[in-house]
Amino acid sequence: MTARKHESWDDFWTRVTGGGTETIRGVEIQIPTDVPLAMEQRLKALEDSESEDDIREMVGLLFGADVLDRWAENGMGLLEFKTVLAWGMAHAGGAKVTFQEAFDIVLAEEAAEGKAPNRAARRAVSKRPSGGTGGPSKRTSSASTSSARRTSRA
């Protein structure tokens, strides 16, 4: 019988989940490989909360303590944050999405809500052509749309 090589839990879990690290806005984070139990419980309790402390707590559970503050200090914007959050939650749920795929998910959600997050994102979303020709609308002259002035008959 051959002796089995001992493998630590951390080494085993990293091997089966494909965990690792990623640097985002200058901050090295562990790539989420599972949704922490504490996060699952807190999400239900904070379902409608928009408190910055609650958001910081959730991000801390997923990516590590103080990560949100460090990202903010390094200039992370809202669209960027939403993209990283979508990417992290997808990885935590077992889907290994790219940053581009996470960005596309965020843009689709923003479009579904009827708002483009910023100029760059609006440009990234495909635009429908105008009318049946696919070209821009043409200005209608005021002569064809105005009515003739009438004088009163007193």
Side-chain angles (χ1 to χ4, degrees), residues 94-112:
K96 296 185 189 236
V97 301
T98 65
F99 291 122
Q100 181 65 54
E101 290 167 331
F103 180 71
D104 293 341
I105 290 167
V106 170
L107 289 181
E109 288 174 357
E110 293 279 336

Side-chain angles (χ1 to χ4, degrees), residues 5-62:
K5 180 184 173 203
H6 175 72
E7 181 178 33
S8 73
W9 172 259
D10 292 339
D11 291 341
F12 162 74
W13 198 245
T14 299
R15 183 174 51 81
V16 293
T17 60
T21 62
E22 185 65 58
T23 302
I24 299 174
R25 275 289 178 172
V27 180
E28 187 173 345
I29 54 118
Q30 287 289 119
I31 298 172
T33 56
D34 203 356
V35 178
L37 290 176
M39 185 173 194
E40 188 72 27
Q41 294 165 347
R42 290 294 289 153
L43 279 174
K44 290 177 185 163
L46 303 174
E47 196 168 34
D48 296 323
S49 175
E50 291 183 12
S51 161
E52 190 174 323
D53 289 336
D54 293 339
I55 293 169
R56 184 176 289 107
E57 178 186 358
M58 293 294 101
V59 171
L61 289 170
L62 189 60

